[in-house]
Amino acid sequence: MSRDAERKYRTARAVQRLLNPVMRRLPLQTVLETTGRTSGLPRSTPVGGKRVGGSFWLVSEFGERSQYVRNIKADPRVRVRIRGRWHTGTAHLMPDDDTAVRLRSLPVLNSLSVRAIGAGQLTVRVDLDR
């Protein structure tokens, strides 16, 4: 990772550590809940994305460096809170998906921030249980 990308990553992580505890508590904030790969405890991360039919799509700004992506690799069973309601599902990492195209179909504000701070982006699809 380049020096500039590393600086962006560290800055974004510092900001996220401050904002995420507050964002998780907002009732309409979309939240992805994974199982910690080491602890086995639930880990909640505010995310931006969009439900399309029976799937929820999002783009991880730091790809496989994101902790929730590492957790998904260890255990793909997740929960997603969409509009205040929890849904269970199975997450799939989509390394061949074009993240630039995907971001154009997702909410604008989140897509802008992912483009601005992201490096090595990765699409994640969550197939929601019926």
Side-chain angles (χ1 to χ4, degrees):
M1 188 174 270
S2 72
R3 177 177 278 165
D4 186 50
E6 183 64 27
R7 183 181 51 77
K8 278 185 174 183
Y9 175 76
R10 289 180 185 273
T11 302
R13 293 259 309 154
V15 170
Q16 288 170 347
R17 284 187 180 169
L18 292 173
L19 292 180
N20 282 0
V22 173
M23 298 297 290
R24 281 192 292 258
R25 287 179 165 66
L26 297 176
L28 295 180
Q29 171 66 48
T30 302
V31 175
L32 175 69
E33 184 181 87
T34 60
T35 301
R37 63 191 175 282
T38 303
S39 69
L41 298 173
R43 300 295 182 202
S44 298
T45 306
V47 295
K50 182 177 181 181
R51 183 175 184 166
V52 178
S55 297
F56 181 81
W57 292 84
L58 67 121
V59 175
S60 167
E61 65 266 45
F62 291 109
E64 296 198 16
R65 283 189 83 178
S66 295
Q67 298 301 314
Y68 67 86
V69 170
R70 292 177 179 185
N71 290 341
I72 288 169
K73 287 175 90 173
D75 182 359
R77 293 297 300 164
V78 299
R79 292 193 325 152
V80 183
R81 188 178 72 194
I82 306 168
R83 294 188 189 118
R85 189 166 161 239
W86 285 101
H87 305 270
T88 59
T90 304
H92 303 276
L93 305 179
M94 312 289 289
D96 295 329
D97 191 62
D98 186 341
T99 57
V101 171
R102 181 68 54 197
L103 286 169
R104 285 196 290 270
S105 71
L106 298 178
V108 174
L109 184 59
N110 178 259
S111 294
L112 288 173
S113 67
V114 169
R115 278 190 211 104
I117 64 173
Q121 299 156 348
L122 176 67
T123 300
V124 179
R125 183 188 79 225
V126 178
D127 293 333
L128 303 172
D129 298 337
R130 299 284 166 182

